[in-house]
Amino acid sequence: MEYIKPLRIALTKGRLEKTAIQIFDKIGLDTEELKNKGRKLVLCDKKNNIEFVLVKAVDVLTYVEHGAADIGIVGKDTLMEAGKDFYEVLDLKVGKCKFALASIPSFNLREGYNRKKIASKYPNVTREYFRTLGKDVEIIKIEGSVELAPILGLSDAIVDIVETGTTLKENGLIVFEEISDISARMIVNRASMKMRKDEIKDLINKVQNVVEEGI
Ligand code: PRP
C-alpha cells in the first residue's frame, strides 16, 4: 500500500484546546490520543491518517507557515499581531473575546501634552490602533498580567484581551474603547492547500458545518 503522509494539525494549547477537540470529535476524528496525551507531543488519529500537535499560539503560526504542519487552529489575536504567510480559511466562532484599550478610571487619552505610555503583549496591534487614531504613543511590551502596568504606574493604559471582563473588574480597571473582535481561526499552509486540496477542503467543509450548527 502506498504511504501517504499524515495530515498534520497544530492546535493552540490552553483555552482553545478543549473546544478544538470538541470540533474534531463532532466531525468524526479519533481524538482519544489527543485527550489522553500524557507527555506525548505528537498525537495520532491513525484511522483518518491525521496527526495533532499541541503548541503555543505563536508557534502554531510558525509550524504552519513553514509547512511543518498543514493546518492550524489559533486565535485572531495572534494572527493580527504576527500576520505571517498562510491562508486564513475559517472563523470557528469560538474563543470569542475583544482587544480593548483599558486603564484606571481617571485615564484620559486626549488630556495632557505628554506622550502616553501604553503597555501590551501585542505591540503591533497597539501600534496599528494608535496609528489609525493618529496618536503618537510609547509602547511598552509586557509578557503577561498586563493589567498590572497602569496600576503600578508603568503605563498610562493597556491594550489587552478582554474575555469576561473579570480581570479588569477585580483590578479596578475599565474599558475605554473596544478595538476589535477576536475568535479562533483555522489557517492552512499555502503549499498544503495546493498539494492536498481535496482532503483539506473536505475537512474545512466538515468543520464549517459544525460551526454553523453551533458547537
Ligand atoms: C488574558 C488577558 C487578560 C485576561 C482577560 O490573559 O491578557 O489578562 O485573559 O480575561 P477575562 O476578561 O476573562 O478576565 P491570560 O489569561 O491569557 O494570561 P496572561 O495574563 O499571562 O496574558
Side-chain angles (χ1 to χ4, degrees), residues 15 121-122 143-147 160-168:
R15 291 185 194 214
K121 246 197 314 195
Y122 302 86
E143 293 298 334
S145 303
V146 184
E147 293 83 357
D160 199 19
I161 288 173
V162 181
E163 191 179 358
T164 60
T166 313
T167 314
L168 290 181

PDB file of all heavy atoms in Angstrom, residues 15 121-122 143-147 160-168, ligand 1:
ATOM      1  N   ARG A  15      -6.650  27.662  26.398  1.00  0.00           N
ATOM      2  CA  ARG A  15      -8.078  27.985  26.309  1.00  0.00           C
ATOM      3  C   ARG A  15      -8.808  27.379  25.120  1.00  0.00           C
ATOM      4  O   ARG A  15      -9.970  27.023  25.222  1.00  0.00           O
ATOM      5  CB  ARG A  15      -8.256  29.494  26.240  1.00  0.00           C
ATOM      6  CG  ARG A  15      -7.893  30.163  27.544  1.00  0.00           C
ATOM      7  CD  ARG A  15      -8.206  31.627  27.444  1.00  0.00           C
ATOM      8  NE  ARG A  15      -7.564  32.333  28.535  1.00  0.00           N
ATOM      9  CZ  ARG A  15      -8.078  33.396  29.123  1.00  0.00           C
ATOM     10  NH1 ARG A  15      -9.205  33.896  28.714  1.00  0.00           N
ATOM     11  NH2 ARG A  15      -7.438  33.975  30.119  1.00  0.00           N
ATOM     12  N   LYS A 121       0.880  43.110  25.428  1.00  0.00           N
ATOM     13  CA  LYS A 121       1.542  41.891  24.944  1.00  0.00           C
ATOM     14  C   LYS A 121       1.529  41.914  23.419  1.00  0.00           C
ATOM     15  O   LYS A 121       2.094  41.054  22.771  1.00  0.00           O
ATOM     16  CB  LYS A 121       0.709  40.687  25.413  1.00  0.00           C
ATOM     17  CG  LYS A 121       1.400  39.814  26.391  1.00  0.00           C
ATOM     18  CD  LYS A 121       0.793  38.438  26.575  1.00  0.00           C
ATOM     19  CE  LYS A 121      -0.691  38.316  26.729  1.00  0.00           C
ATOM     20  NZ  LYS A 121      -1.099  36.995  27.249  1.00  0.00           N
ATOM     21  N   TYR A 122       0.791  42.885  22.856  1.00  0.00           N
ATOM     22  CA  TYR A 122       0.555  42.948  21.415  1.00  0.00           C
ATOM     23  C   TYR A 122       1.013  44.295  20.856  1.00  0.00           C
ATOM     24  O   TYR A 122       0.184  45.133  20.490  1.00  0.00           O
ATOM     25  CB  TYR A 122      -0.943  42.735  21.129  1.00  0.00           C
ATOM     26  CG  TYR A 122      -1.486  41.424  21.643  1.00  0.00           C
ATOM     27  CD1 TYR A 122      -1.949  41.306  22.950  1.00  0.00           C
ATOM     28  CD2 TYR A 122      -1.500  40.300  20.822  1.00  0.00           C
ATOM     29  CE1 TYR A 122      -2.439  40.100  23.426  1.00  0.00           C
ATOM     30  CE2 TYR A 122      -1.987  39.090  21.291  1.00  0.00           C
ATOM     31  CZ  TYR A 122      -2.447  38.996  22.599  1.00  0.00           C
ATOM     32  OH  TYR A 122      -2.923  37.806  23.068  1.00  0.00           O
ATOM     33  N   GLU A 143       4.903  40.747  28.932  1.00  0.00           N
ATOM     34  CA  GLU A 143       4.650  39.353  28.533  1.00  0.00           C
ATOM     35  C   GLU A 143       3.385  38.744  29.143  1.00  0.00           C
ATOM     36  O   GLU A 143       2.872  37.740  28.657  1.00  0.00           O
ATOM     37  CB  GLU A 143       5.855  38.471  28.880  1.00  0.00           C
ATOM     38  CG  GLU A 143       7.100  38.780  28.061  1.00  0.00           C
ATOM     39  CD  GLU A 143       6.931  38.547  26.561  1.00  0.00           C
ATOM     40  OE1 GLU A 143       6.100  37.724  26.165  1.00  0.00           O
ATOM     41  OE2 GLU A 143       7.628  39.225  25.786  1.00  0.00           O
ATOM     42  N   GLY A 144       2.873  39.311  30.223  1.00  0.00           N
ATOM     43  CA  GLY A 144       1.664  38.737  30.842  1.00  0.00           C
ATOM     44  C   GLY A 144       1.197  39.612  31.981  1.00  0.00           C
ATOM     45  O   GLY A 144       1.905  40.542  32.387  1.00  0.00           O
ATOM     46  N   SER A 145      -0.010  39.319  32.486  1.00  0.00           N
ATOM     47  CA  SER A 145      -0.612  40.121  33.563  1.00  0.00           C
ATOM     48  C   SER A 145      -0.447  41.613  33.286  1.00  0.00           C
ATOM     49  O   SER A 145      -0.019  42.393  34.151  1.00  0.00           O
ATOM     50  CB  SER A 145       0.008  39.772  34.919  1.00  0.00           C
ATOM     51  OG  SER A 145      -0.149  38.405  35.169  1.00  0.00           O
ATOM     52  N   VAL A 146      -0.800  42.002  32.074  1.00  0.00           N
ATOM     53  CA  VAL A 146      -0.612  43.379  31.590  1.00  0.00           C
ATOM     54  C   VAL A 146      -1.372  44.384  32.458  1.00  0.00           C
ATOM     55  O   VAL A 146      -0.978  45.550  32.574  1.00  0.00           O
ATOM     56  CB  VAL A 146      -1.077  43.470  30.111  1.00  0.00           C
ATOM     57  CG1 VAL A 146      -0.826  44.846  29.531  1.00  0.00           C
ATOM     58  CG2 VAL A 146      -0.357  42.434  29.281  1.00  0.00           C
ATOM     59  N   GLU A 147      -2.451  43.908  33.089  1.00  0.00           N
ATOM     60  CA  GLU A 147      -3.292  44.782  33.927  1.00  0.00           C
ATOM     61  C   GLU A 147      -2.501  45.473  35.025  1.00  0.00           C
ATOM     62  O   GLU A 147      -2.908  46.523  35.527  1.00  0.00           O
ATOM     63  CB  GLU A 147      -4.446  43.971  34.548  1.00  0.00           C
ATOM     64  CG  GLU A 147      -5.474  43.463  33.556  1.00  0.00           C
ATOM     65  CD  GLU A 147      -5.080  42.169  32.862  1.00  0.00           C
ATOM     66  OE1 GLU A 147      -3.956  41.667  33.102  1.00  0.00           O
ATOM     67  OE2 GLU A 147      -5.880  41.666  32.058  1.00  0.00           O
ATOM     68  N   ASP A 160      -5.228  45.160  25.648  1.00  0.00           N
ATOM     69  CA  ASP A 160      -5.182  43.752  26.032  1.00  0.00           C
ATOM     70  C   ASP A 160      -6.464  43.050  25.621  1.00  0.00           C
ATOM     71  O   ASP A 160      -7.423  43.688  25.171  1.00  0.00           O
ATOM     72  CB  ASP A 160      -4.980  43.638  27.551  1.00  0.00           C
ATOM     73  CG  ASP A 160      -4.476  42.261  27.960  1.00  0.00           C
ATOM     74  OD1 ASP A 160      -3.938  41.531  27.091  1.00  0.00           O
ATOM     75  OD2 ASP A 160      -4.619  41.896  29.142  1.00  0.00           O
ATOM     76  N   ILE A 161      -6.460  41.732  25.844  1.00  0.00           N
ATOM     77  CA  ILE A 161      -7.641  40.929  25.551  1.00  0.00           C
ATOM     78  C   ILE A 161      -8.608  40.978  26.728  1.00  0.00           C
ATOM     79  O   ILE A 161      -8.186  40.840  27.885  1.00  0.00           O
ATOM     80  CB  ILE A 161      -7.205  39.477  25.302  1.00  0.00           C
ATOM     81  CG1 ILE A 161      -6.493  39.383  23.964  1.00  0.00           C
ATOM     82  CG2 ILE A 161      -8.378  38.528  25.359  1.00  0.00           C
ATOM     83  CD1 ILE A 161      -5.892  38.054  23.715  1.00  0.00           C
ATOM     84  N   VAL A 162      -9.870  41.183  26.422  1.00  0.00           N
ATOM     85  CA  VAL A 162     -10.906  41.124  27.448  1.00  0.00           C
ATOM     86  C   VAL A 162     -11.870  40.014  27.041  1.00  0.00           C
ATOM     87  O   VAL A 162     -12.400  40.029  25.933  1.00  0.00           O
ATOM     88  CB  VAL A 162     -11.672  42.460  27.563  1.00  0.00           C
ATOM     89  CG1 VAL A 162     -12.732  42.367  28.651  1.00  0.00           C
ATOM     90  CG2 VAL A 162     -10.705  43.599  27.853  1.00  0.00           C
ATOM     91  N   GLU A 163     -12.039  39.054  27.945  1.00  0.00           N
ATOM     92  CA  GLU A 163     -12.974  37.970  27.618  1.00  0.00           C
ATOM     93  C   GLU A 163     -14.243  38.140  28.459  1.00  0.00           C
ATOM     94  O   GLU A 163     -15.253  38.632  27.989  1.00  0.00           O
ATOM     95  CB  GLU A 163     -12.295  36.623  27.849  1.00  0.00           C
ATOM     96  CG  GLU A 163     -13.104  35.456  27.284  1.00  0.00           C
ATOM     97  CD  GLU A 163     -12.428  34.116  27.482  1.00  0.00           C
ATOM     98  OE1 GLU A 163     -11.311  34.054  28.023  1.00  0.00           O
ATOM     99  OE2 GLU A 163     -13.058  33.103  27.114  1.00  0.00           O
ATOM    100  N   THR A 164     -14.160  37.827  29.738  1.00  0.00           N
ATOM    101  CA  THR A 164     -15.324  38.013  30.609  1.00  0.00           C
ATOM    102  C   THR A 164     -15.312  39.402  31.257  1.00  0.00           C
ATOM    103  O   THR A 164     -16.335  39.848  31.760  1.00  0.00           O
ATOM    104  CB  THR A 164     -15.305  36.968  31.748  1.00  0.00           C
ATOM    105  OG1 THR A 164     -14.097  37.170  32.501  1.00  0.00           O
ATOM    106  CG2 THR A 164     -15.340  35.554  31.196  1.00  0.00           C
ATOM    107  N   GLY A 165     -14.158  40.037  31.297  1.00  0.00           N
ATOM    108  CA  GLY A 165     -14.015  41.349  31.939  1.00  0.00           C
ATOM    109  C   GLY A 165     -13.673  41.233  33.413  1.00  0.00           C
ATOM    110  O   GLY A 165     -13.481  42.239  34.102  1.00  0.00           O
ATOM    111  N   THR A 166     -13.562  39.998  33.906  1.00  0.00           N
ATOM    112  CA  THR A 166     -13.322  39.778  35.337  1.00  0.00           C
ATOM    113  C   THR A 166     -11.960  40.323  35.785  1.00  0.00           C
ATOM    114  O   THR A 166     -11.862  40.954  36.841  1.00  0.00           O
ATOM    115  CB  THR A 166     -13.383  38.261  35.660  1.00  0.00           C
ATOM    116  OG1 THR A 166     -14.546  37.742  35.039  1.00  0.00           O
ATOM    117  CG2 THR A 166     -13.433  38.000  37.140  1.00  0.00           C
ATOM    118  N   THR A 167     -10.931  40.076  34.976  1.00  0.00           N
ATOM    119  CA  THR A 167      -9.588  40.530  35.377  1.00  0.00           C
ATOM    120  C   THR A 167      -9.560  42.044  35.534  1.00  0.00           C
ATOM    121  O   THR A 167      -9.010  42.574  36.505  1.00  0.00           O
ATOM    122  CB  THR A 167      -8.518  40.070  34.358  1.00  0.00           C
ATOM    123  OG1 THR A 167      -8.738  38.698  34.063  1.00  0.00           O
ATOM    124  CG2 THR A 167      -7.122  40.250  34.903  1.00  0.00           C
ATOM    125  N   LEU A 168     -10.170  42.753  34.574  1.00  0.00           N
ATOM    126  CA  LEU A 168     -10.203  44.220  34.672  1.00  0.00           C
ATOM    127  C   LEU A 168     -10.951  44.632  35.936  1.00  0.00           C
ATOM    128  O   LEU A 168     -10.461  45.435  36.732  1.00  0.00           O
ATOM    129  CB  LEU A 168     -10.894  44.820  33.444  1.00  0.00           C
ATOM    130  CG  LEU A 168     -10.157  44.735  32.093  1.00  0.00           C
ATOM    131  CD1 LEU A 168     -10.991  45.402  31.013  1.00  0.00           C
ATOM    132  CD2 LEU A 168      -8.777  45.380  32.180  1.00  0.00           C
TER     133      LEU A 168
HETATM  134  C1  PRP B   1      -5.773  37.192  29.171  1.00  0.00           C
HETATM  135  C2  PRP B   1      -5.733  38.701  29.070  1.00  0.00           C
HETATM  136  C3  PRP B   1      -6.369  39.135  30.353  1.00  0.00           C
HETATM  137  C4  PRP B   1      -7.382  38.045  30.643  1.00  0.00           C
HETATM  138  C5  PRP B   1      -8.763  38.518  30.268  1.00  0.00           C
HETATM  139  O1  PRP B   1      -4.680  36.774  29.900  1.00  0.00           O
HETATM  140  O2  PRP B   1      -4.415  39.167  28.896  1.00  0.00           O
HETATM  141  O3  PRP B   1      -5.414  39.216  31.376  1.00  0.00           O
HETATM  142  O4  PRP B   1      -7.018  36.935  29.819  1.00  0.00           O
HETATM  143  O5  PRP B   1      -9.744  37.587  30.598  1.00  0.00           O
HETATM  144  P1  PRP B   1     -11.089  38.000  31.371  1.00  0.00           P
HETATM  145  O6  PRP B   1     -11.652  39.213  30.694  1.00  0.00           O
HETATM  146  O7  PRP B   1     -11.992  36.795  31.210  1.00  0.00           O
HETATM  147  O8  PRP B   1     -10.736  38.257  32.799  1.00  0.00           O
HETATM  148  P2  PRP B   1      -4.230  35.265  30.026  1.00  0.00           P
HETATM  149  O9  PRP B   1      -5.100  34.522  30.977  1.00  0.00           O
HETATM  150  O10 PRP B   1      -4.148  34.672  28.658  1.00  0.00           O
HETATM  151  O11 PRP B   1      -2.801  35.337  30.704  1.00  0.00           O
HETATM  152  P3  PRP B   1      -1.700  36.482  30.832  1.00  0.00           P
HETATM  153  O12 PRP B   1      -2.173  37.439  31.867  1.00  0.00           O
HETATM  154  O13 PRP B   1      -0.474  35.769  31.231  1.00  0.00           O
HETATM  155  O14 PRP B   1      -1.583  37.125  29.499  1.00  0.00           O
END
